[in-house]
Amino acid sequence: MSDSSAPLWLFADQLGPHIHSAEGHLGREVVLIESTAALRRRAGHRQKAHLLLSGMRHLAADLGDRAHHLKADGYRDALIEFGRPVVVHEPTSWAAHDFVHRLQAEGLVEEVLPNPSFALPRSDFEQWAGNSSRFRLEMFYRDQRTRFDILMDGDQPTGGAWNYDHDNRKSPPKTPTLGVPDPWWPEEDGIDEQVRADLDALDAPWSGVDGPRLFAVTAAEAQSALETFIDHRLADFGPYEDAMMSGDWSMSHSLLSVPLNLSLLHPLDAVHAAEAAAREGSVPLASAEGFIRQILGWREFVWHLYWHFGRDYRTGNNELNAHRPLPDWFRDLDAGAVTAKCLSDALGGVHDRGWVHHIPRLMVLGNHALQQGYDPDELTRWYTANFVDGYEWVMPVNVVGMSQHADGGKMATKPYSSGGAYINKMSDFCKDCEFDPRKRIGADACPFTAGYWAFTHRHRDRLAKNMRTRRAVASMERLSDLDAVLEQERHRDRF
């Protein structure tokens, strides 16, 4: 921590007390800057802009005289007018990293400190990574559990297993909703009202629509959201974390990705709360482990790989030679232009609230993009702009690596492509859909089912060499109607 008395400049995703009120910062003046140029340049989902501005303004109000809340066209303009050097924690993107170091060279930034919003320091990850060129979540996750002593009994995982995936893959129940208690919902206030008015007046090409604020933007709100999830929803999270329901968009998910990515919660606080609930017996071990895996495992893994893979990872990887531009209906979140119920529902969720959970992201939106060969760089920018929890560090590894396999397997063992059978098993979308997940030929042939075989054929040589996908190639070669499927999919314009 810095010994300097210079004010602390906080970006809009660095709002938590573990940053501004940690040892070395307690009582330090805080600078918060609203940059009109940055808002216009990034634009993206209207509700995401609301969350960022609301979070900064709520923190400024909470800190009172300690905060300098500046508004300017650009960050540099604000710092020049402020007239005093600042210290800042390492930001969360390569572009911002380069920017703050330029400001340091200019004398506007006195010191750039490590980012305190993740459990594992970047230097420790680099030591763990060594000279490896390929990375797997499971080994990183086990190291994290051991390192931070989470769900461990001595040197063994609690319960005798590192994961409980077999307990956490249930299909949705035959009911309209999951039937769990509601998530914690925020109550908007005068700050939100003013944010909405200011965004209305700003000439920016927002995507999506305005709506009621759905996510926590203060540390107190984040704590309430966490407690509600642990006490009333975590028990049901595990079994249904991979399921989708058309009438229940939040199901038993925590809705903590926004406050976590605004750094309102420290990840270890969320992890310890889940572990305590499991040890007390108030939630099943499998549910707690599934949640902990998302936070201490996947989220940390993505953060560190973003930096480890370097500046060119997003733009420099396209191993599957995918170059199709996003269709207008996909780019514009036009759910009404789509017939497939699962795809329409996912696009509608992004349009209406900037959020759907991880399975629609991966196995509907990402699966569709993978099968159709959309450009992974454009797709990554689409995810980053349109998801309220999507930031420059979040999406490249998730999209380029996990979803689109565009890095050729640096961090995932196989492409995540599936046919309609998977969606039918894990959701209630197919029962009222105009497409039939069992059909691959005809007007009602499911675009995911037929698209799966077209994708497998297009990449058959690569997939045949992969132990996890070679059976799909063998199954494809036994299809008597493969030529008809391929011809149909070459001309498909209806999804």
Side-chain angles (χ1 to χ4, degrees), residues 261-274:
N261 290 355
L262 293 177
S263 299
L264 294 165
L265 280 175
H266 193 278
L268 286 177
D269 291 338
V271 164
H272 285 142

Side-chain angles (χ1 to χ4, degrees), residues 203-214:
D203 181 21
W206 308 117
S207 62
V209 292
D210 187 22
R213 179 160 66 85
L214 299 173

Side-chain angles (χ1 to χ4, degrees), residues 16-19 115-120 148 222-223 226 259-260 263-272 295-296 299-300:
H18 63 277
I19 302 178
N115 190 306
S117 291
F118 294 83
L120 185 69
F148 294 103
Q223 188 61 37
L226 174 62
L260 279 166
S263 299
L264 294 165
L265 280 175
H266 193 278
L268 286 177
D269 291 338
V271 164
H272 285 142
I295 305 300
L296 192 64
R299 184 173 181 272
E300 296 262 324

Side-chain angles (χ1 to χ4, degrees), residues 338-350:
V338 182
T339 301
K341 191 174 178 183
C342 59
L343 188 54
S344 178
D345 187 89
L347 280 174
V350 180

Side-chain angles (χ1 to χ4, degrees), residues 66-287:
R66 186 182 160 198
H68 301 274
H69 183 200
L70 312 178
K71 299 180 181 181
D73 186 57
Y75 296 116
R76 179 183 277 103
D77 301 329
L79 291 174
I80 290 172
E81 185 173 346
F82 183 58
R84 295 158 59 193
V86 296
V87 297
V88 63
H89 285 285
E90 190 71 67
T92 57
S93 73
W94 279 110
H97 165 279
D98 294 344
F99 178 59
V100 298
H101 283 277
R102 288 197 301 272
L103 295 178
Q104 185 178 24
E106 296 171 20
L108 295 172
V109 169
E110 182 177 288
E111 187 177 4
V112 182
L113 306 170
N115 190 306
S117 291
F118 294 83
L120 185 69
R122 283 172 54 186
S123 59
D124 288 5
F125 179 85
E126 291 304 323
Q127 185 177 4
W128 175 85
N131 295 321
S132 298
S133 59
R134 293 181 182 272
F135 301 91
R136 300 293 176 253
L137 170 65
E138 185 62 30
M139 300 313 297
F140 174 76
Y141 173 60
R142 292 185 184 191
D143 184 82
Q144 289 278 90
R145 289 266 299 274
T146 303
R147 184 188 298 261
F148 294 103
D149 193 27
I150 302 297
L151 287 183
M152 298 294 293
D153 295 328
D155 62 355
Q156 296 299 309
T158 301
W162 289 102
N163 74 68
Y164 293 88
D165 285 350
H166 58 281
D167 295 326
N168 290 347
R169 291 173 173 164
K170 286 188 177 181
S171 301
K174 306 298 183 183
T175 53
T177 69
L178 197 55
V180 300
D182 283 345
W184 172 89
W185 299 119
E187 292 184 10
E188 291 194 1
D189 57 15
I191 291 177
D192 289 299
E193 184 178 351
Q194 186 60 54
V195 166
R196 186 164 285 113
D198 290 345
L199 291 175
D200 284 341
L202 189 66
D203 181 21
W206 308 117
S207 62
V209 292
D210 187 22
R213 179 160 66 85
L214 299 173
F215 300 93
V217 296
T218 72
E221 288 184 341
Q223 188 61 37
S224 295
L226 174 62
E227 290 173 0
T228 298
F229 173 67
I230 297 294
D231 294 345
H232 303 294
R233 296 167 58 79
L234 175 57
D236 293 291
F237 167 75
Y240 299 109
E241 65 175 298
D242 284 359
M244 301 173 281
M245 300 184 75
S246 58
D248 191 352
W249 66 267
S250 65
M251 297 183 67
S252 53
H253 291 272
S254 70
L255 307 190
L256 293 174
S257 59
V258 166
L260 279 166
N261 290 355
L262 293 177
S263 299
L264 294 165
L265 280 175
H266 193 278
L268 286 177
D269 291 338
V271 164
H272 285 142
E275 180 187 29
R279 293 197 179 278
E280 293 164 2
S282 59
V283 303
L285 176 60
S287 286

